[in-house]
Amino acid sequence: MGDNAFPLNIDGKPTGPLAGVRIVDLSKVVLGPMATQILGDMGADVIRIESPGDNARISPANVERNPGMAALYMQLNRNKRSVTLDLKAPGGVDTLLNLLAQADVLVTNMRGRALTKLGIDYDSLRERFPQLIYAHAQGFNETSSAADRPAYDEVIQAVSGIVNMQERANGSLQFLPTFIADKTVALYLAIGVLGAVVDQVRTGQGQYLRIAMADTMIAVNAVEHLGGEMFVPPAGDVGNPLSLSQIHRAMRTRDGGAIAAVAYTNAAIRLLLIGAGRNDRAADPVWDSVAIDRAVFNSGWEEVLEHSTTKTTAEWEEYLNAHDIPFGLVTDIADLPNDDYVREVDLIGEVDHPTEGRVRMVRNPLEYSRTPTDIRRLPEQYGASTAEVLGAVQR
């Protein structure tokens, strides 16, 4: 990576596939801003409408150099123009409507009740802006009795089954230590907007796109965990047995490292037993079977984990590579910026921010051959582009 500097396209023309698409971003915190940053990386002109109070900017849990420029905010808001606009103040909604007249997409994660009160819900805007894609994300489906309930990531982890999975797997009601719902739904939201843009280009018409966090995460978790409940009547228990097992974890190595080796077949368990020095157990003909007996399979895994410290990390790497067993080293998240793989693929680089100094950015992992994503605008201080954007609207 050389000097570890990131290539920037500051003040350049967008190179991504969404160049020429304008998005008005009326969202806060994680879900909406992550989706619009993905779209901005693809070349869209994202105008971020801000009023005081976005937790991503001001949360006391965030690290910052300057007020309102916390790390979480900066990871979610590049390739956007920040516009200060109080929608509750006289003229605020009118200014927003002027922006929407020149926009292709509106993205919001405000609750429906608040949108209706301001007169900017979809039904209020559809006739005035027939070309507009109105993308609305909220915690619970707007047709449900829970529509107006506030929702954070942890709430959705609870109602979608994730917390119960934790309890089934290890007896804990602990939330996953990442904003898994916000980020997963953000990906769905970005995909949804892309689909609507394709239709808009083809027909010239906008439409209403709505997505509920609860619905999305229930659908995601059902993929492997609905299990026997897929059938009517049920053909078995819910849950993926291996995923919910306490043995489904990485193994320690002799030199204190940790490595995640993954086996889903009896043949792979046999190879891991040999690697752990348990040749006697590996010789058991039970591992010849293609059919998996869950109790036997788990007992083999337990023995591998119990004897994994017979090899160093390097020795396990060599062995697993030689036998084509999927594996990955357990990486301390603090080491990611200097991780060999991360540096090899230039995933995290450094840039000079005009107000925050030297900072790290994670590039968009999408790699287009003809219309590459780029970084054209670094995360802005609150309202930095207000004059530029609103001045253009008033002309």
Side-chain angles (χ1 to χ4, degrees):
M1 188 180 285
D3 63 358
N4 212 34
F6 235 18
L8 299 177
N9 185 25
I10 301 297
D11 298 325
K13 293 183 178 180
T15 58
L18 291 184
V21 173
R22 174 167 289 182
I23 298 173
V24 173
D25 180 8
L26 192 60
S27 68
K28 292 183 177 182
V29 197
V30 175
L31 192 171
M34 179 174 173
T36 54
Q37 176 169 281
I38 293 169
L39 299 169
D41 288 352
M42 292 182 185
D45 174 19
V46 180
I47 299 173
R48 176 173 166 79
I49 305 301
E50 296 200 70
S51 57
D54 188 345
N55 285 346
R57 278 195 184 272
I58 63 174
S59 171
N62 292 334
V63 178
E64 61 184 18
R65 285 178 177 164
N66 292 304
M69 296 295 285
L72 177 61
Y73 167 81
M74 293 188 64
Q75 290 291 354
L76 294 170
N77 289 286
R78 68 172 175 236
N79 286 333
K80 303 179 187 182
R81 295 189 282 173
S82 175
V83 173
T84 304
L85 184 60
D86 185 353
L87 297 178
K88 297 179 182 179
V93 169
D94 288 338
T95 300
L96 175 66
L97 297 179
N98 289 336
L99 287 171
L100 293 179
Q102 302 176 9
D104 301 289
V105 185
L106 169 67
V107 174
T108 180
N109 59 353
M110 292 174 62
R111 278 185 276 173
R113 182 172 56 189
L115 292 167
T116 300
K117 186 175 181 180
L118 289 168
I120 55 173
D121 55 294
Y122 177 67
D123 286 339
S124 298
L125 300 183
R126 61 188 302 181
E127 291 187 7
R128 181 169 181 174
F129 304 112
Q131 86 294 344
L132 184 69
I133 296 166
Y134 190 114
H136 183 208
Q138 62 181 56
F140 298 91
N141 196 300
E142 67 178 37
T143 65
S144 73
S145 59
D148 286 326
R149 283 171 50 188
Y152 280 124
D153 188 281
E154 294 86 348
V155 172
I156 304 304
Q157 287 193 40
V159 302
S160 67
I162 291 177
V163 174
N164 177 253
M165 291 180 211
Q166 289 282 81
E167 186 174 25
R168 285 171 177 261
N170 53 44
S172 166
L173 291 174
Q174 186 171 359
F175 304 114
L176 294 181
T178 182
F179 300 144
I180 189 67
D182 279 321
K183 292 184 285 187
T184 302
V185 180
L187 296 175
Y188 268 83
L189 178 57
I191 292 169
V193 169
L194 290 175
V197 167
V198 170
D199 180 75
Q200 185 189 57
V201 169
R202 185 171 58 237
T203 68
Q205 296 296 306
Q207 60 181 304
Y208 187 30
L209 167 65
R210 71 183 192 215
I211 183 169
M213 295 176 70
D215 300 22
T216 305
M217 293 309 296
I218 289 170
V220 167
N221 295 333
V223 170
E224 78 275 38
H225 287 291
L226 193 58
E229 286 288 338
M230 171 184 169
F231 301 96
V232 181
D237 196 6
V238 295
N240 180 285
L242 182 56
S243 297
L244 296 179
S245 171
Q246 291 188 359
I247 63 168
H248 195 54
R249 64 182 190 270
M251 57 188 186
R252 288 291 176 192
T253 61
R254 191 170 70 215
D255 51 353
I259 195 165
V262 181
Y264 285 111
T265 65
N266 285 335
I269 289 289
R270 169 177 271 161
L271 287 170
L272 289 174
L273 285 166
I274 294 171
R278 303 303 297 162
N279 296 59
D280 53 339
R281 182 69 194 280
D284 192 326
V286 71
W287 307 116
D288 294 331
S289 174
V290 175
I292 292 178
D293 179 292
R294 186 56 54 188
V296 174
F297 187 86
N298 287 354
S299 69
W301 253 120
E302 288 172 352
E303 198 153 348
V304 171
L305 293 170
E306 184 180 350
H307 295 89
S308 61
T309 54
T310 56
K311 278 183 168 56
T312 64
T313 303
E315 289 169 343
W316 268 119
E317 282 190 270
E318 182 180 2
Y319 179 83
L320 296 169
N321 266 322
H323 293 87
D324 201 29
I325 297 175
F327 77 93
L329 299 183
V330 175
T331 305
D332 188 321
I333 196 166
D335 296 334
L336 283 177
N338 295 307
D339 178 77
D340 289 342
Y341 176 80
V342 171
R343 293 178 66 85
E344 181 183 5
V345 300
D346 290 342
L347 188 59
I348 299 177
E350 297 178 4
V351 299
D352 289 315
H353 191 280
T355 63
E356 307 310 304
R358 193 77 165 174
V359 298
R360 289 191 174 102
M361 289 269 126
V362 183
R363 70 166 171 81
N364 192 303
L366 292 169
E367 298 185 7
Y368 292 93
S369 64
R370 191 174 61 82
T371 55
T373 63
D374 61 11
I375 299 177
R376 306 175 307 283
R377 188 178 292 262
L378 296 174
E380 295 186 343
Q381 289 193 320
Y382 178 64
S385 291
T386 301
E388 172 193 347
V389 172
L390 297 189
V393 171
Q394 292 166 0
R395 286 200 295 270

